[in-house]
Amino acid sequence: MREKLSIMRWKSFLCFKSLPLIVGIFFVGTVYVINVYVIHYSLQLSPDSISSRPRLISGRKHESLYLDKDSTYGRRDSHQYNDIKDPDGLDIFYDTFKLQLLGIIKTPEDQRIRDEGYREHAFNELISSRLSFHRKLPDSRHKLCESVTYQSDLPQASVIICFYNEAWSALLRTVHSVIDKTPPRLLYEIIVVDDYSQNENLHEKIAEYIWNILPHKIKLVRTPQRLGLIRARMYGARIATAEVLVFLDSHCEVNVKWLEPLLARAAENRRNVAIPVIDIINSDSFEYEASPLVKGGFNWGLHFRWDHLPSGYFNEKEAMILPIETPTMAGGLFAINRQYFFEMGQYDSGMDIWGGENLEISFRIWQCRGRLDIIPCSRVGHIFRKRRPYGSPNGEDTMTKNSLRLAHVWMDDYIKYYFQLKPQARNINYGNITDRLELRKKLNCNSFEWYLKYIYPEQTLPDMDNKSPKPLKKYKKSQPARNKATYINTGWLKHKSSGLCVQTEGDIYVKKSLLLLADCIAGNQTQEWSETNDHEFQLSKLLCLDVESSSVSNSYARLMKCHGSGGSQSWIWRSQNKVSQLYNPASGKCLVPFHDAGTTYLTIAICTDNPEMSFKLQSNDKIPHGQLTM
Ligand SMILES: *[C@@H]1O[C@H](CO)[C@@H](O)[C@H](O)[C@H]1NC(C)=O
Ligand SMILES: *[C@@H]1O[C@H](CO)[C@@H](O)[C@H](O)[C@H]1NC(C)=O
């Protein structure tokens, strides 16, 4: 549809750039543009100019690295910050310890934000809302990237960020990170497309924020109805005017010098489409983790997957910084010449909401003589959620419909492999694809066979999988081998106010045994706790103190196999008004006794300064084994 734009508010007399737009579209239609172009070239958008602005309407301050409020959580001396140091010993400002304390639930309101955040956004919104919009990230690039220089006449970019019901904090952190990390001369504009979000007042809130805080280069537009991610991107692209379009998701944080290498690649040839490496922002803890260099592929169910690069690929060190030819892209993060984007058919506007568009544009780029590369020196963090928090308005399976459209247009006979895996898809209506078939003809594109032969030769066909000695392994996030635990303390885990000790109800070897408070006994393995430097509490160095933070009534603390990945088994000492408590970052709560039918079990609750929450790990070394002390 042809959108009409109306100016909701405009302030600056300096809006020379957008004057024609304003005149042309005043007060007609349903799309709001907060037009905030001021003078493009004279404004400095460095973080400094932002932080020198008045307090934000949300009451945030900008000085701190991570914490906007409550930045002084108590901590025990034996627990120093877990600063990650780079090999040269320089701090890279990445403080896991502070991050973990950020998720603490202090009030029922915090609990509500957390629960609602998980329900609506599938990430820990409590942490997101407390995290600075300007936090520093570890530079996840290879060292060699630091010495790469880029031409001085790089083209400018329009950064397009589409969102639907996004968490306010995640969206604004995305926008701020782009402003903070992008040289002003390269950032022509940021176009924020609100795809008709249903969240109460979200649009107005963001409009006001942008108006008050970020009145540079940012255009906020609202679609007149829900378009879905795919059409919303096209909508944003039509408004954009810079030479290169850069698409981002609405829950990203871009990293140092993220844009230059993408623009340099796009400038080399207008058919070059450049993709950053997508680093991982943990959806529970907001920790930032570098992704390994891999490339994009797909399976015959038409789902994207990561593929390893051939062994030996990185024998030459330079490969660490050179573009990596990739058969497909993972999603919506890429840079593309604007004219080229339109010439080669944008996206398929017949596709609904989301799904399949990344494969469609990937096949189209390659088959129609473009190229697609992952640029190792460009890093963008993305919150990887365990599920997509929203569906299509009518609950249709948009993934299947979209996959059918792309398969019918681009895959020729190879569509049979898709149907082999998804026979039920044969009967699903995928709409009219006449226009897309005409596009393919007009662009004189290569066949899918050509694509497989030259661009994705590693791909195997499903009926050959049995014969294939090594079918492609699914890319799995590499877990570092677990280091042997380092114990920093051993003794009783003593509940201070009662003087009782945490003990297992069952045998020390029995998983799922509940934990309870009992009289302290010296030299008894059922009470011998060891604290590790990974914040685990192991009983007799075997099983771990664990609590499932389900929302159902009571979550009992119990013994579980130590999994070494923190979460429900991570316990951090924290003090609140001299009450030293054990804080579990995964739940945002603290360990506390819980009386049940004459037995005192343990559970988790909102951390308070109630002495009932006070624990200590007390060495019982001096007491001869076997001797009772109470
Ligand atoms: C499909 O779309 C084309 C072009 O938009 C149109 O000419 C054609 O009539 C449509 N076919 C059907 C069955 O609606
Ligand atoms: C350890 O304590 C448990 C529970 O109180 C008791 O059943 C067991 O006999 C004790 N073991 C030793 C070696 O004292």
Side-chain angles (χ1 to χ4, degrees):
M1 77 230 61
R2 282 256 63 98
E3 63 287 347
K4 296 166 180 163
L5 310 171
S6 78
I7 305 305
M8 197 170 101
R9 294 168 68 182
W10 69 288
K11 180 162 76 174
S12 175
F13 295 106
L14 303 171
C15 287
F16 66 85
K17 176 77 192 177
S18 49
L19 211 55
L21 185 69
I22 293 168
V23 171
I25 52 190
F26 209 55
F27 288 132
V28 275
T30 41
V31 180
Y32 301 145
V33 176
I34 300 300
N35 197 309
V36 280
Y37 280 101
V38 189
I39 297 177
H40 281 91
Y41 305 99
S42 63
L43 269 171
Q44 288 301 307
L45 285 181
S46 67
D48 290 339
S49 74
I50 301 280
S51 60
S52 64
R53 294 187 157 266
R55 282 176 73 90
L56 309 191
I57 48 179
S58 63
R60 287 165 192 281
K61 281 185 270 179
H62 283 122
E63 299 83 33
S64 68
L65 193 54
Y66 273 113
L67 305 157
D68 291 316
K69 41 190 167 177
D70 297 328
S71 58
T72 48
Y73 293 118
R75 63 176 192 281
R76 242 172 38 155
D77 287 337
S78 62
H79 293 258
Q80 291 305 318
Y81 285 5
N82 284 334
D83 280 338
I84 297 172
K85 309 262 183 186
D86 75 11
D88 298 327
L90 301 167
D91 273 348
I92 48 176
F93 313 107
Y94 190 64
D95 188 334
T96 309
F97 184 77
K98 274 191 183 174
L99 211 46
Q100 286 180 319
L101 286 175
L102 218 47
I104 196 158
I105 294 172
K106 294 182 154 185
T107 63
E109 173 66 5
D110 292 346
Q111 181 79 62
R112 191 192 58 76
I113 293 172
R114 187 187 147 97
D115 292 348
E116 222 172 88
Y118 270 107
R119 202 165 50 241
E120 289 177 15
H121 310 299
F123 57 73
N124 191 333
E125 194 182 353
L126 191 61
I127 293 187
S128 180
S129 66
R130 289 171 172 169
L131 199 54
S132 163
F133 288 161
H134 308 276
R135 70 158 165 171
K136 291 188 183 172
L137 299 174
D139 182 352
S140 52
R141 301 170 305 166
H142 191 271
K143 276 243 174 287
L144 285 175
C145 294
E146 287 165 24
S147 52
V148 179
T149 54
Y150 301 98
Q151 66 212 65
S152 54
D153 59 341
L154 286 174
Q156 289 189 308
S158 293
V159 175
I160 299 169
I161 300 168
C162 302
F163 72 94
Y164 173 69
N165 288 357
E166 184 57 271
W168 148 273
S169 54
L171 173 64
L172 289 177
R173 193 171 305 104
T174 307
V175 173
H176 274 293
S177 87
V178 171
I179 294 172
D180 291 351
K181 305 272 173 41
T182 313
R185 71 191 151 81
L186 298 181
L187 184 62
Y188 185 77
E189 63 190 349
I190 300 177
I191 294 172
V192 180
V193 182
D194 174 3
D195 185 17
Y196 206 66
S197 294
Q198 297 302 294
N199 283 9
E200 212 182 327
N201 297 333
L202 179 65
H203 189 86
E204 286 69 25
K205 248 176 88 183
I206 290 169
E208 192 177 341
Y209 183 91
I210 290 176
W211 181 240
N212 283 304
I213 305 305
L214 300 167
H216 331 282
K217 302 192 179 188
I218 301 187
K219 263 183 178 172
L220 175 66
V221 297
R222 182 165 161 89
T223 60
Q225 68 192 65
R226 175 103 187 265
L227 299 180
L229 195 56
I230 298 163
R231 289 188 284 256
R233 282 201 200 123
M234 298 165 72
Y235 189 91
R238 251 172 288 161
I239 297 166
T241 48
E243 187 175 330
V244 176
L245 305 179
V246 179
F247 292 95
L248 286 183
D249 279 355
S250 54
H251 36 267
C252 291
E253 285 168 77
V254 300
N255 211 320
V256 54
K257 275 211 174 185
W258 71 290
L259 187 59
E260 289 88 331
L262 299 179
L263 293 179
R265 184 69 186 163
E268 272 171 39
N269 185 322
R270 61 199 291 277
R271 291 168 174 272
N272 284 352
V273 178
I275 308 168
V277 176
I278 308 173
D279 285 338
I280 297 156
I281 300 173
N282 185 299
S283 60
D284 299 315
S285 67
F286 276 72
E287 284 172 77
Y288 189 99
E289 191 191 327
S291 289
L293 296 179
V294 288
K295 59 181 187 166
F298 67 89
N299 64 27
W300 293 101
L302 297 183
H303 291 284
F304 173 86
R305 71 169 175 222
W306 294 109
D307 288 344
H308 294 292
L309 290 158
S311 62
Y313 183 90
F314 293 111
N315 285 354
E316 297 281 327
K317 248 195 159 177
E318 249 211 324
M320 289 300 219
I321 60 170
L322 291 176
I324 298 170
E325 179 175 313
T326 179
T328 67
M329 66 167 83
L333 313 188
F334 62 99
I336 187 169
N337 178 288
R338 182 169 56 87
Q339 277 178 2
Y340 177 61
F341 178 70
F342 286 104
E343 275 167 32
M344 54 93 66
Q346 309 184 56
Y347 274 115
D348 175 358
S349 63
M351 285 190 172
D352 292 333
I353 312 293
W354 71 274
E357 84 284 357
N358 54 330
L359 295 190
E360 195 270 344
I361 198 170
S362 304
F363 294 167
R364 180 154 43 88
I365 289 166
W366 280 118
Q367 284 174 249
C368 312
R369 283 177 295 279
R371 61 171 298 139
L372 196 56
D373 294 276
I374 292 170
I375 310 299
C377 291
S378 173
R379 297 262 174 176
V380 175
H382 175 262
I383 302 176
F384 279 86
R385 301 174 291 194
K386 293 176 189 89
R387 62 181 174 87
R388 187 171 286 266
Y390 58 82
S392 61
N394 311 317
E396 311 112 338
D397 175 4
T398 62
M399 180 75 200
T400 301
K401 178 188 166 184
N402 295 349
S403 297
L404 280 168
R405 288 184 70 86
L406 84 93
H408 277 289
V409 175
W410 297 104
M411 289 174 66
D412 309 324
D413 284 349
Y414 287 83
I415 195 173
K416 69 182 177 210
Y417 296 112
Y418 177 62
F419 285 137
Q420 199 172 305
L421 279 170
K422 288 204 129 194
Q424 69 282 14
R426 280 179 197 278
N427 308 318
I428 290 173
N429 178 15
Y430 54 89
N432 185 341
I433 56 168
T434 312
D435 287 350
R436 300 308 280 181
L437 289 170
E438 269 169 20
L439 174 78
R440 180 171 168 177
K441 206 182 283 168
K442 190 181 98 194
L443 296 175
N444 195 17
C445 305
N446 280 308
S447 67
F448 201 68
E449 190 171 9
W450 175 91
Y451 168 81
L452 288 178
K453 188 167 169 199
Y454 293 104
I455 308 304
Y456 199 12
E458 315 87 288
Q459 178 67 302
T460 53
L461 299 178
D463 55 2
M464 291 161 53
D465 269 351
N466 294 338
K467 292 177 231 151
S468 160
K470 270 189 198 160
L472 286 166
K473 269 185 248 135
K474 201 175 167 175
Y475 165 67
K476 258 180 96 180
K477 206 176 99 183
S478 55
Q479 284 276 1
R482 197 169 173 223
N483 294 328
K484 221 167 143 35
T486 304
Y487 298 104
I488 55 178
N489 262 317
T490 293
W492 285 318
L493 186 52
K494 203 164 183 178
H495 182 236
K496 280 200 205 161
S497 62
S498 66
L500 299 173
C501 283
V502 179
Q503 167 182 313
T504 169
E505 188 172 49
D507 194 271
I508 53 169
Y509 302 100
V510 180
K511 275 184 259 174
K512 296 190 183 171
S513 294
L514 295 182
L515 297 169
L516 44 78
L517 290 183
D519 288 340
C520 302
I521 325 164
N524 189 307
Q525 291 185 309
T526 61
Q527 293 186 355
E528 193 184 288
W529 292 94
S530 294
E531 180 182 3
T532 73
N533 60 343
D534 292 335
H535 307 293
E536 285 174 355
F537 280 76
Q538 300 182 357
L539 187 62
S540 288
K541 302 186 178 170
L542 293 168
L543 298 173
C544 273
L545 169 60
D546 190 308
V547 68
E548 231 169 87
S549 63
S550 68
S551 46
V552 294
S553 55
N554 283 309
S555 326
Y556 290 93
R558 57 181 75 220
L559 287 179
M560 295 300 279
K561 188 176 173 197
C562 300
H563 52 55
S565 47
S568 57
Q569 296 183 353
S570 174
W571 300 93
I572 293 175
W573 290 105
R574 156 179 199 276
S575 72
Q576 189 168 348
N577 285 342
K578 295 192 179 142
V579 170
S580 98
Q581 33 189 230
L582 276 176
Y583 167 68
N584 173 237
S587 61
K589 293 182 175 176
C590 285
L591 194 68
V592 69
F594 168 75
H595 306 285
D596 184 9
T599 305
T600 307
Y601 293 102
L602 293 150
T603 185
I604 45 170
I606 292 179
C607 307
T608 65
D609 57 6
N610 185 337
E612 276 287 287
M613 286 212 165
S614 209
F615 288 88
K616 63 177 171 183
L617 193 69
Q618 183 182 319
S619 160
N620 55 14
D621 276 353
K622 295 188 187 78
I623 304 153
H625 281 213
Q627 182 184 319
L628 294 180
T629 58
M630 296 187 78

